[in-house]
């Protein structure tokens, strides 16, 4: 066994053993433990768990890759995803914790005095959560198949088994303590390679400062200026100024990600695990600190990975790398199919450019940048192994949170809340575990056989949360008069408009050939791309709700009193589990 594989086995299976031990120690004995960890998690612990819950395979693996290829335009992901937590901390989490329920559909049912509203919220939650899990499971399969050199399907099965053990056994209690461990693994796995590479390129070991420093080669050229020069010479857009599809689309994209983040039920659920309203506010603050440790490093990781990639393939302008002399990391990623070379002119050298006719790097998947970066930079094998463990921790931590959101929405909101209100606590706990097991099997199947629309629905997941759940929560807290009928109308129209817009550009259920307007800028509404349309859906939701409110009349007095009490800063509600 070679050294890299040995280190990888130690890092991956060592961390898995840690997760198993924690899950067994923190196993859930009641519905209180299973759904909200007994409500006894401290703000710092919850902040770390929220950080792990949010830093999914998309954040850990994909985000820096997107920034690497989008440049300035990729900042929408940084601003949107972190900005969403500010909205959560200021506008939603404290009030919902004060109300004392522990699922989003349950809060919506109480506030809008309607089982229909609860069912609509459950449908939105399940669609958004399943979409995310497909991405996490795919991340697990890719990471295993590359680093452990096992079949993609076997890697996926191992990942499913790990999640099943600690999520089904421990519920929110087991997941929380496991996510704290996963956060520690992730942050070390993300920052240690960044420190090495920043020091290697600029002589500055702090990546955030290295991004704005001059290169260590004594040329006096700034790293970003060098990157701009390298990419523009090959015909790509300037890294530091490319604003994607224009300023309006970037603004809409950022806002859609922000309010989508603030409306994601699996994130909101975490604020019900702390003992008080004050603790809910504190946990949001700690979460922002813990998330920012990774998110402020991501731009440096993206820029440095792009520079290293370009410099490897084309060491100097006009001097191309011979394919037969390509480095080992290049061969390894070719084996996964995520990196492809086609010798179009038959000279045995790699031409990499923005021009399709002459570009011989026919595939450079965004998702390889973070995982391949340590190898591209010739870092030690133990660092590469650490990144593998971090990528798997990111995928597993978020998958567990999403599975719990699905489980609670079906066992607690549908079964207990709508269809079988007399369900005992023991049977509700059993139902939650059975539902979670089924959800793992379904998500594993979708990860193994991803539908053609898997990538497209990630954008739809944010759009759904942004256009349906977020406005309903905001109006529920800040508009005492908002009625149930008006809120339901807003949610349905918000979702409807968003789905219609996405489907007409991306295809009905993302099936190729059914996009009757085509995914083309000229056909976009005010130049807003389908991925950024959630914010328009949210505006439709708000507008429709307030128009319908004029015809239906305000919410009953007891509901207005409930909202008034929820908005009072004093006092704490204990979480009502039934």
């Amino acid at each position: 066994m070679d050294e890299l594989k040995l280190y990888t086995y130690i890092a991956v299976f060592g961390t898995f053993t840690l997760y198993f031990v924690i899950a067994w120690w923190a196993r859930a004995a009641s519905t209180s433990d299973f759904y909200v960890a007994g409500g006894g998690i401290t703000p710092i612990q919850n902040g770390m768990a929220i950080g792990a819950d949010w830093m999914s395979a998309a954040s850990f693996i994909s985000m820096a890759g997107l920034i690497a290829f989008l440049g300035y335009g990729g900042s929408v992901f940084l601003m949107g995803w972190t900005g969403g937590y500010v909205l959560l901390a200021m506008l939603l989490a404290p009030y919902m914790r004060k109300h004392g329920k522990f699922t989003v559909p349950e809060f919506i049912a109480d506030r809008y005095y309607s089982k229909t509203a609860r069912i609509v919220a459950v449908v939105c939650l399940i669609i958004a959560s399943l979409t995310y899990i497909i991405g996490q499971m795919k991340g697990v399969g890719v990471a295993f198949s590359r680093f452990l050199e096992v079949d993609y399907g076997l890697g996926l099965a191992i990942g499913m088994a790990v999640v099943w053990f600690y999520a089904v056994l421990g519920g929110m209690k087991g997941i929380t303590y496991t996510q704290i461990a996963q956060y520690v693994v992730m942050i070390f796995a993300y920052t240690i390679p960044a420190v090495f590479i920043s020091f290697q390129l600029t002589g500055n070991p702090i990546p955030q400062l290295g991004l704005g420093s001059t290169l260590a080669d004594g040329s006096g050229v700034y790293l970003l200026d060098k990157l701009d020069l390298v990419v523009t010479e090959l015909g790509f857009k300037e890294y530091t100024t490319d604003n994607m599809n224009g300023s309006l689309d970037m603004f809409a994209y950022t806002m859609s990600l922000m309010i989508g983040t603030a409306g994601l039920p699996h994130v909101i659920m975490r604020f019900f695990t702390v003992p008080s309203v004050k603790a809910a506010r504190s946990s949001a603050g700690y979460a922002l600190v813990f998330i920012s440790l990774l998110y402020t490093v991501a731009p440096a990781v993206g820029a440095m990975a792009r520079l290293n990639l370009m410099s490897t393939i084309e060491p100097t302008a006009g001097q191309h790398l011979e394919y037969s002399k390509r480095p080992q990391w290049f061969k390894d990623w070719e084996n996964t199919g995520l990196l492809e070379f086609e010798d179009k002119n038959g000279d045995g050298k790699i031409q990499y450019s923005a021009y399709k006719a002459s570009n011989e790097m026919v595939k450079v998947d965004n998702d390889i940048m973070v995982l391949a970066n340590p190898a591209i930079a010739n870092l030690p094998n133990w660092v590469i192994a650490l990144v593998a463990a971090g990528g798997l921790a990111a995928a597993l931590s978020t998958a567990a949170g999403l599975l719990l959101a699905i489980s609670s929405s079906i066992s607690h909101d549908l079964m207990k809340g709508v269809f079988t209100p007399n369900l005992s606590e023991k049977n509700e706990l059993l139902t939650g575990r059975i539902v979670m097991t089924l959800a793992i099997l379904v998500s594993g199947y979708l990860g193994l056989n991803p539908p053609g629309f898997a990538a497209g629905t990630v954008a739809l997941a944010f759009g759904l949360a942004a256009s349906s759940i977020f406005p309903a929560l905001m109006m529920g807290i800040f508009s005492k008069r908002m009625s149930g009928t008006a809120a339901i109308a807003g949610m349905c129209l918000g979702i409807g408009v968003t789905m219609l817009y996405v489907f007409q550009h991306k295809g009905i259920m993302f099936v190729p050939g059914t996009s009757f307007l085509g995914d083309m800028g000229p056909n976009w509404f005010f130049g807003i791309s389908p991925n950024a349309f959630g914010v328009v859906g949210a505006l439709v939701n708000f507008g429709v709700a307030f128009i319908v409110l004029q015809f239906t009349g305000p919410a009953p007095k007891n509901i207005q009193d409930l909202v008034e009490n929820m908005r009072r800063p004093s006092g704490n509600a204990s979480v009502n589990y039934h």
Side-chain angles (χ1 to χ4, degrees):
M1 184 185 293
D2 64 43
E3 186 185 55
L4 174 57
K5 190 181 279 190
L6 176 64
Y7 279 133
T8 305
Y9 275 114
I10 292 170
V12 171
F13 290 109
T15 53
F16 280 6
T17 304
L18 176 64
Y19 305 153
F20 285 150
V21 170
I22 292 170
W24 182 256
W25 167 75
R27 59 193 182 278
S30 66
T31 51
S32 162
D33 285 344
F34 192 79
Y35 292 133
V36 290
I41 304 299
T42 68
I44 291 182
Q45 289 173 332
N46 200 39
M48 290 181 84
I50 291 168
D53 211 349
W54 184 239
M55 289 190 298
S56 62
S59 285
F60 189 95
I61 297 172
S62 299
M63 184 174 65
L66 284 165
I67 294 170
F69 289 99
L70 290 172
Y72 169 70
S75 62
V76 298
F77 299 100
L78 290 169
M79 296 300 295
W81 284 340
T82 19
Y85 275 94
V86 178
L87 293 181
L88 255 181
M90 302 296 290
L91 303 178
L92 297 179
Y95 303 102
M96 294 181 70
R97 177 62 190 83
K98 174 78 183 290
H99 180 61
K101 296 298 173 70
F102 62 86
T103 70
V104 171
E106 188 171 21
F107 171 83
I108 286 176
D110 283 1
R111 170 59 186 84
Y112 295 117
Y113 46 96
S114 165
K115 287 185 178 180
T116 304
R118 190 173 195 159
I119 292 168
V120 170
V122 167
V123 170
C124 295
L125 184 153
I126 290 172
I127 293 172
S129 300
L130 265 181
T131 298
Y132 264 99
I133 293 176
I134 295 168
Q136 308 316 312
M137 290 301 184
K138 199 170 179 192
V140 169
V142 167
F144 265 114
S145 62
R146 162 64 190 91
F147 289 108
L148 300 185
E149 295 177 20
V150 297
D151 178 67
Y152 174 86
L154 177 60
L156 187 59
I158 296 170
M160 287 167 63
V162 174
V163 173
W164 182 88
F165 185 86
Y166 73 77
V168 172
L169 183 70
M172 179 63 93
K173 190 176 178 184
I175 287 168
T176 298
Y177 289 110
T178 308
Q179 284 178 334
I180 291 168
Q182 288 168 330
Y183 174 82
V184 174
V185 172
M186 273 189 277
I187 206 67
F188 276 105
Y190 205 80
T191 53
I192 286 175
V195 167
F196 270 100
I197 293 167
S198 178
F199 186 73
Q200 199 179 67
L201 287 175
T202 67
N204 192 326
I206 302 171
Q208 295 94 324
L209 299 178
L211 182 62
S213 300
T214 54
L215 293 168
D217 60 7
S219 63
V221 176
Y222 283 93
L223 184 144
L224 286 171
D225 287 339
K226 173 70 173 178
L227 183 54
D228 274 345
L229 184 67
V230 169
V231 295
T232 51
E233 277 181 347
L234 298 175
F236 295 99
K237 291 180 179 176
E238 196 172 61
Y239 188 84
T240 53
T241 58
D242 179 21
N243 72 351
M244 230 160 38
N245 300 312
S247 299
L248 177 62
D249 189 58
M250 277 191 71
F251 175 78
Y253 213 136
T254 304
M255 285 301 297
S256 186
L257 291 174
M258 278 178 70
I259 62 178
T261 297
L264 284 173
H266 79 283
V267 175
I268 296 171
M269 279 179 71
R270 293 232 54 97
F271 292 98
F272 305 135
T273 64
V274 290
S276 67
V277 175
K278 184 180 179 183
R281 282 192 188 276
S282 298
S283 359
Y286 282 120
L288 274 168
V289 171
F290 291 129
I291 290 167
S292 69
L293 290 177
L294 186 145
Y295 272 43
T296 55
V297 173
V301 172
M304 292 171 186
R306 180 84 180 272
L307 183 60
N308 278 335
L309 177 74
M310 296 297 201
S311 303
T312 301
I313 293 174
E314 189 146 343
T316 56
Q319 181 187 343
H320 309 298
L321 175 71
E322 287 186 33
Y323 182 67
S324 60
K325 294 180 181 177
R326 68 196 186 284
Q328 186 59 43
W329 66 263
F330 196 112
K331 298 173 186 175
D332 290 338
W333 283 102
E334 274 185 306
N335 293 336
T336 66
L338 298 175
L339 195 69
E340 289 179 20
F341 164 74
E342 180 187 332
D343 194 1
K344 293 181 178 177
N345 60 8
D347 67 352
K349 294 182 179 180
I350 304 172
Q351 272 86 39
Y352 185 23
S353 74
Y355 310 111
K356 195 171 181 179
S358 59
N359 178 38
E360 297 180 338
M361 291 299 300
V362 291
K363 185 173 185 180
V364 183
D365 195 291
N366 290 346
D367 290 351
I368 76 167
M369 296 307 288
V370 169
L371 298 177
N373 201 15
I376 296 173
N378 292 314
L379 297 187
N381 283 333
W382 67 267
V383 177
I384 300 171
L386 186 61
V387 171
L392 288 165
L396 294 173
S397 64
T398 304
L402 292 164
L403 287 162
L404 186 65
I406 292 172
S407 171
S408 63
S409 70
I410 294 175
S411 62
H412 185 75
D413 289 304
L414 286 185
M415 300 295 290
K416 178 80 175 176
V418 179
F419 300 120
T420 53
N422 296 320
L423 193 66
S424 69
E425 180 173 342
K426 183 181 177 182
N427 286 335
E428 187 182 343
L429 189 58
L430 178 64
T431 304
R433 285 179 162 143
I434 291 170
V435 169
M436 197 180 282
T437 302
L438 292 173
I440 289 171
L441 292 173
V442 170
S443 60
Y445 173 79
L446 292 173
L448 193 58
N449 305 284
F453 56 84
T457 48
V458 172
L460 181 59
F462 273 100
L464 277 171
S467 61
S468 60
I469 295 171
F470 176 79
L473 296 178
M474 284 291 288
M475 291 184 292
I477 294 167
F478 295 105
S479 172
K480 287 194 298 184
R481 301 178 69 253
M482 183 53 62
S483 70
T485 307
I488 292 168
M491 280 197 284
C492 292
L493 264 293
I495 285 176
V497 165
T498 304
M499 291 182 79
L500 177 65
Y501 189 78
V502 172
F503 286 168
Q504 69 188 12
H505 289 291
K506 300 280 191 181
I508 298 165
M509 289 312 294
F510 304 92
V511 175
T514 60
S515 50
F516 49 90
L517 284 185
D519 188 15
M520 296 184 296
N523 292 328
W524 289 348
F525 178 76
F526 286 105
I528 297 174
S529 61
N531 290 10
F533 202 73
V535 68
V536 179
L539 292 174
V540 169
N541 186 330
F542 281 117
V544 167
F546 280 104
I547 290 168
V548 173
L549 180 63
Q550 305 309 310
F551 297 96
T552 61
K557 174 133 189 349
N558 65 312
I559 298 296
Q560 295 196 36
D561 291 342
L562 179 149
V563 175
E564 189 65 45
N565 177 62
M566 187 169 50
R567 296 196 317 215
R568 275 195 206 111
S570 61
N572 285 314
S574 61
V575 177
N576 183 349
Y577 303 109
H578 294 291

